[in-house]
């Protein structure tokens, strides 16, 4: 009997684990309405007019214990009071059937072989029904409590809060709400939901199921690409994160695969060995199915003395394409700043650290900003790990420059002198503008549905914009329309022409340096392959045979591209689906084009 209960509980756990896992993979939202049926249709209210007729008053019949000799007991289900229930077939009859003649007729017609059974036989059947009802009730409550614990565990893990929140916050709050809206008896049922220790186990179970689901997909032989991202945590421990991207159900899926703890003395070959031990040894994946590798460009991974990428390309028989992450390249290119402008950035960071490093200074600034009614009352810390940090910290410092100046004077800090220097404030306005523009560029390179063609267009557009700005500044009548804060500052303040020319030269030097570094990290020759495959972005622009011949495709690919570009049905799919989803859908119909 115990084995039956344990087996039933395990089956229930697997069912609810799969429910939570599938919801997190497909939509990221667990909805209990997907598990239980919708009963709103039973709550509809009829608004049609019904005439009132005088109805004959019918009194409800009462159950009598003597009816047990016919095999009937009183139904104990909610809203089924005073209705007879057969102990043999468990059928529930109407209240009007509480007559000896009707009960006897049911016994004679439905269970004729039990007519001669004594009363003790039906009494034993009555006990069996009650035990079965108790077991069914307990089982239902246990399954609902188990499902609730999985849903709560999923929510806790998704919001990245402590497991103790389920016991200290969520469960008490639910008890209060149910007790207030319903009653104490209903609230007591919630106490069967497991505590924080079980929430931790539930989270691990869901994670294990997600991992098993991911490995099942990858081990099925589908093509995939990996991304290597090296980072350092708060404990100064270096960690290598490995992400995987693959096609599944007419779209690309991105999942976290594993992470590796790296020590400072590991060489590139050692890092490759750890990656292969994890991907091939532990997860049983085949390198032949790896079609792409993307890295963040750190010296440990892609430096001239590192062998990680080289070994990865060799183990895949050079059938893999390696790319340096666009976002990391843009972040590296943005770090090139002339020395004079770098001093402005460093002083801004010193001001932030002086105020944020003291709770008294932070409260003083907050109080002063609140009294004036500024949009913001706090400064932001600067960190090199976050790409948008420089633009946001400079924007906040420039916005609160007058309030910061007042606080620094109150604290008698020497940093107050820099805010009295118009040249420094003017350069700060320029840095605020240029890093805000770089932040916008970084955000354009991010997004789930973005593709490499969009990234290249953004980068090349910005490179041309830099050249345009340089030409504007070199003209006889320079214009600063592209830097709104800088332009507003020089219009509202009287700045010497010679000083403005010096600042213009520094800005021109910075823009030239940015242009050179962007050309270094995004060379033109790297984009030649994309230009040759421009038909991938919009295959319907190549309708004529002459335009297809210029693409230098093999005959099979030319025929498929001609058929594809001539189909109006596929053009509708192209306009409604994302670029990746469109080609995944057409991969089977046009296998030669899909394999490129």
């Amino acid at each position: 009997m115990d084995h039956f209960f344990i087996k039933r509980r395990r089956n229930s756990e697997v069912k609810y684990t799969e429910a939570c896992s599938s919801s997190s993979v497909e939509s990221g939202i667990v909805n209990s309405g997907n598990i239980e049926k919708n009963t709103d249709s039973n709550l509809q209210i009829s608004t049609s007019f019904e005439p009132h007729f005088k109805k004959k008053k019918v009194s409800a019949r009462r159950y009598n214990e003597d009816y047990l000799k016919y095999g009937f007991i009183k139904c104990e289900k909610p809203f089924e009071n005073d209705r007879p229930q057969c102990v043999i077939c468990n059928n529930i009859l109407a209240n009007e059937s509480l007559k000896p003649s009707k009960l006897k007729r049911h016994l004679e017609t439905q269970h004729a072989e039990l007519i001669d059974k004594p009363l003790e036989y039906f009494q034993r059947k009555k006990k069996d029904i009650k035990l079965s009802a108790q077991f069914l009730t307990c089982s239902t409550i246990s399954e609902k409590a188990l499902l609730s614990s999985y849903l709560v565990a999923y929510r806790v893990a998704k919001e990245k809060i402590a497991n103790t929140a389920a016991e200290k916050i969520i469960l008490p709050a639910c008890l209060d709400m149910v007790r207030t809206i319903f009653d104490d008896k209903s609230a007591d049922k919630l106490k069967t939901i497991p505590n924080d220790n079980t929430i931790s186990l539930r989270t691990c179970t869901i994670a294990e199921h997600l991992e098993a689901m991911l490995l099942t997909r990858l081990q099925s032989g589908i093509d995939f690409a990996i991304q290597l991202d090296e980072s350092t945590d708060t404990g100064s421990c270096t960690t290598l994160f490995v992400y995987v991207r693959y096609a599944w159900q007419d779209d690309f899926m991105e999942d976290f695969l594993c992470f590796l703890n790296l020590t400072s003395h590991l060489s590139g070959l050692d890092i490759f060995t750890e990656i292969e031990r994890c991907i091939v040894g532990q997860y049983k994946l085949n390198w032949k199915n790896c079609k792409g590798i993307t890295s963040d460009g750190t010296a440990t991974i892609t430096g001239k003395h590192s062998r990680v990428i080289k070994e990865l390309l060799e183990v895949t028989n050079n059938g893999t394409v390696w790319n340096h992450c666009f976002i990391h390249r843009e972040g590296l290119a943005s770090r090139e700043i002339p020395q004079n402008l770098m001093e402005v950035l460093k002083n801004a960071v010193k001001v932030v650290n002086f105020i944020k490093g003291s709770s008294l200074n932070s409260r003083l600034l907050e109080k002063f900003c609140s009294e004036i009614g500024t949009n913001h009352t706090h400064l932001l810390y600067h960190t090199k790990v976050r790409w948008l940090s420089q633009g946001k910290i400079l924007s906040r410092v420039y916005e609160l420059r007058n309030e910061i100046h007042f606080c620094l004077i109150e604290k008698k800090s020497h940093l107050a002198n820099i805010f009295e220097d118009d040249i420094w404030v003017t350069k700060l306005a320029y840095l605020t503008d240029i890093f805000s523009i770089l932040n916008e560029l970084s955000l354009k390179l991010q997004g789930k549905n973005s593709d490499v063609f969009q990234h290249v267009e953004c980068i090349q557009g910005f490179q041309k914009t830099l050249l345009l700005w340089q030409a504007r500044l070199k003209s006889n009548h320079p214009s600063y329309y592209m830097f709104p804060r800088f332009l507003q500052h020089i219009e509202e303040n009287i700045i010497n022409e010679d000083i403005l020319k010096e600042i213009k030269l520094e800005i021109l030097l910075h823009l030239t340096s940015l242009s050179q570094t962007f050309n270094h990290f995004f060379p033109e020759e790297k984009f030649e392959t994309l230009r040759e495959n421009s038909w991938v972005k919009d295959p319907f622009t190549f309708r004529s045979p002459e335009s297809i011949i210029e693409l230098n495709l093999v005959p099979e690919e030319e025929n498929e591209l001609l058929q594809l570009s001539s189909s109006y049905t596929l053009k509708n799919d192209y306009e409604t689906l994302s670029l990746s989803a469109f080609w995944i859908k057409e991969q089977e119909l046009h296998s030669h084009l899909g394999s490129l």
Side-chain angles (χ1 to χ4, degrees):
M1 193 67 179
D2 293 339
H3 175 71
F4 171 76
F5 284 115
I6 294 174
K7 184 176 180 181
R8 178 167 183 156
R9 182 178 179 183
R10 288 178 178 174
N11 293 337
S12 300
E13 291 184 355
V14 171
K15 178 176 65 175
Y16 298 132
T17 303
E18 292 177 352
C20 295
S21 301
S22 61
S23 300
S24 63
V25 171
E26 301 297 336
S27 64
I29 300 175
V30 175
N31 187 356
S32 60
N34 295 331
I35 303 170
E36 298 182 358
K37 295 182 179 179
N38 187 1
T39 59
D40 290 343
S41 58
N42 297 329
L43 302 178
Q44 295 179 351
I45 300 175
S46 176
T47 59
S48 60
F49 174 77
E50 296 182 359
H52 294 278
F53 297 98
K54 187 176 181 180
K55 297 182 180 180
K56 183 179 179 181
K57 186 177 181 180
V58 180
S59 59
R61 296 181 178 273
R62 300 295 180 182
Y63 176 80
N64 194 319
E65 294 294 338
D66 293 337
Y67 295 159
L68 184 59
K69 64 183 179 182
Y70 303 114
F72 281 88
I73 62 173
K74 181 181 178 181
C75 183
E76 300 293 342
K77 292 185 177 181
F79 310 107
E80 304 290 349
N81 294 333
D82 294 326
R83 292 183 61 181
Q85 180 180 9
C86 180
V87 296
I88 306 301
C89 61
N90 292 331
N91 285 343
I92 301 175
L93 305 183
N95 180 262
E96 291 78 4
S97 299
L98 276 174
K99 294 180 180 180
S101 58
K102 292 185 178 181
L103 300 180
K104 185 177 180 180
R105 185 186 306 121
H106 177 86
L107 180 63
E108 292 174 350
T109 57
Q110 302 295 331
H111 314 290
E113 71 280 2
L114 304 177
I115 295 177
D116 298 330
K117 291 292 183 179
L119 180 62
E120 290 77 9
Y121 174 80
F122 296 109
Q123 289 176 346
R124 290 195 300 268
K125 287 292 184 180
K126 178 180 178 181
K127 293 180 180 180
D128 293 341
I129 286 183
K130 288 188 176 182
L131 289 175
S132 177
Q134 292 177 0
F135 170 77
L136 197 59
T137 303
C138 295
S139 175
T140 304
I141 294 176
S142 299
E143 288 186 358
K144 290 183 178 179
L146 183 63
L147 173 60
S148 300
S149 66
Y150 272 105
L151 294 176
V152 172
Y154 176 79
R155 296 291 183 184
V156 170
K158 184 180 178 182
E159 298 299 329
K160 300 177 183 179
I161 59 179
N163 296 328
T164 54
E167 182 182 12
K168 296 182 179 180
I169 300 177
I170 300 177
L171 183 56
C174 291
L175 288 173
D176 293 339
M177 290 185 289
V178 174
R179 188 180 294 111
T180 302
I181 298 176
F182 299 101
D183 50 32
D184 293 339
K185 185 177 180 180
S186 300
D188 292 339
K189 295 180 181 179
L190 297 181
K191 296 180 180 179
T192 60
I193 299 177
N195 57 11
D196 57 322
N197 293 331
T198 308
I199 292 296
S200 177
L201 295 177
R202 296 282 184 266
T203 305
C204 294
T205 304
I206 295 174
E208 291 173 358
H209 187 79
L210 285 173
E211 183 181 19
M213 188 188 306
L214 173 61
L215 294 180
T216 302
R217 294 177 179 180
L218 297 178
Q219 292 172 357
S220 63
I222 62 176
D223 295 335
F224 62 90
I226 61 174
Q227 177 179 345
L228 308 177
D229 187 8
E230 182 183 340
S231 183
T232 304
D233 58 17
T234 56
S236 299
C237 297
T238 305
T239 305
L240 181 65
F241 294 92
V242 182
Y243 300 88
V244 63
R245 180 181 173 93
Y246 58 95
W248 189 260
Q249 295 182 350
D250 299 333
D251 203 355
F252 278 112
M253 305 291 293
E254 297 179 0
D255 288 305
F256 173 73
L257 183 61
C258 62
F259 75 94
L260 306 173
N261 290 322
L262 305 179
T263 57
S264 58
H265 63 276
L266 284 181
S267 62
L269 183 61
D270 296 332
I271 296 176
F272 165 76
T273 304
E274 293 293 330
I275 296 174
E276 188 174 36
R277 182 183 295 115
C278 177
I279 295 180
V280 179
Q282 181 179 354
Y283 295 148
K284 310 298 181 183
L285 303 183
N286 194 340
W287 282 120
K288 294 181 180 180
N289 297 325
C290 182
K291 302 301 181 181
I293 301 174
T294 304
S295 65
D296 57 2
T298 57
T300 310
I301 304 298
T302 58
K304 63 180 181 179
H305 299 296
S306 177
R307 297 177 55 185
V308 177
I309 299 300
K310 179 181 178 181
E311 293 291 339
L312 287 175
L313 294 177
E314 290 180 357
V315 78
T316 57
N317 297 324
N318 293 321
T320 301
V321 178
W322 172 73
N323 288 307
H324 186 181
C325 177
F326 270 76
I327 302 176
H328 285 83
R329 277 190 278 177
E330 188 270 343
L332 293 174
S334 303
R335 294 181 181 180
E336 292 295 328
I337 306 177
Q339 184 61 33
N340 293 335
L341 295 178
M342 179 61 72
E343 292 297 326
V344 176
L345 176 60
K346 290 181 179 180
N347 287 331
V349 174
K350 290 180 181 179
V351 170
V352 173
N353 292 336
F354 176 80
I355 295 178
K356 297 286 290 184
S358 172
S359 58
L360 179 60
N361 296 342
S362 298
R363 291 195 301 269
L364 180 62
L365 178 63
E366 180 182 1
K367 181 180 179 181
F368 186 67
C369 293
S370 300
E371 292 176 352
I372 296 179
T374 58
N375 294 330
H376 301 95
T377 59
H378 295 82
L379 296 178
L380 302 175
Y381 271 124
H382 171 254
T383 172
K384 291 184 179 180
V385 177
R386 302 187 182 277
W387 303 113
L388 309 180
S389 177
Q390 289 181 343
K392 290 185 176 181
I393 179 182
L394 293 174
S395 177
R396 189 66 58 86
V397 170
Y398 182 77
E399 178 186 349
L400 303 177
R401 61 188 182 280
N402 295 327
E403 292 78 14
I404 294 174
H405 184 212
F406 173 79
C407 292
L408 294 176
I409 293 176
E410 287 289 324
K411 302 301 295 185
K412 298 180 180 181
S413 173
H414 68 281
L415 295 174
N417 298 330
I418 61 177
F419 287 91
E420 299 173 0
D421 186 359
D422 290 337
I423 300 177
W424 186 89
V425 178
T426 305
K427 294 179 181 179
L428 177 65
Y430 162 73
L431 288 179
T432 302
D433 287 326
I434 190 62
F435 279 108
S436 297
I437 295 172
L438 292 173
N439 284 356
E440 294 178 1
L441 176 62
S442 178
L443 292 175
K444 290 180 181 179
L445 299 177
Q446 304 176 33
K448 181 179 180 181
N449 294 325
S450 60
D451 53 67
V452 65
F453 295 100
Q454 296 175 355
H455 293 170
V456 171
E457 291 174 358
C458 292
I459 294 298
Q460 290 184 333
F462 183 73
Q463 289 175 322
K464 294 179 180 179
T465 302
L466 289 176
L467 297 177
L468 175 62
W469 291 349
Q470 295 175 47
R472 283 286 185 183
L473 294 178
K474 291 178 181 179
S475 63
N476 296 329
H477 302 284
S479 175
Y480 304 98
Y481 70 93
M482 51 280 194
F483 309 122
R485 295 182 183 87
F486 178 82
L487 179 61
Q488 182 181 4
H489 183 78
I490 61 177
E491 289 178 349
E492 294 178 352
N493 298 273
I494 301 175
I495 300 180
N496 187 278
E497 289 294 332
D498 296 334
I499 295 177
L500 187 59
K501 288 182 180 179
E502 293 180 3
I503 296 176
K504 185 191 73 171
L505 293 177
E506 293 185 12
I507 294 176
L508 185 60
L509 179 62
H510 183 212
L511 295 179
T512 305
S513 176
L514 274 179
S515 182
Q516 293 175 353
T517 52
F518 267 85
N519 292 335
H520 170 72
F521 285 103
F522 301 96
E524 281 292 327
E525 55 270 18
K526 292 290 185 180
F527 300 145
E528 289 297 328
T529 305
L530 291 177
R531 292 193 183 95
E532 295 174 358
N533 296 324
S534 59
W535 56 269
V536 176
K537 181 174 179 57
D538 189 1
F540 297 95
T541 57
F542 301 90
R543 293 179 178 271
S544 63
E546 293 79 10
S547 60
I548 295 179
I549 293 176
E550 297 176 356
L551 299 176
N552 297 323
L553 301 176
V554 299
E556 294 82 359
E557 297 169 354
E558 290 179 348
N559 293 332
E560 289 187 356
L561 181 58
L562 184 62
Q563 295 175 4
L564 187 150
S565 60
S566 303
S567 174
Y568 290 98
T569 303
L570 297 181
K571 186 175 181 180
N572 292 333
D573 294 340
Y574 173 80
E575 293 175 351
T576 56
L577 300 175
S578 63
L579 185 62
S580 58
F582 171 77
W583 281 111
I584 292 174
K585 183 179 180 180
E586 300 303 321
Q587 187 174 8
E588 296 181 359
L589 298 177
H590 305 88
S591 57
H592 294 90
L593 292 178
S595 61
L596 293 178

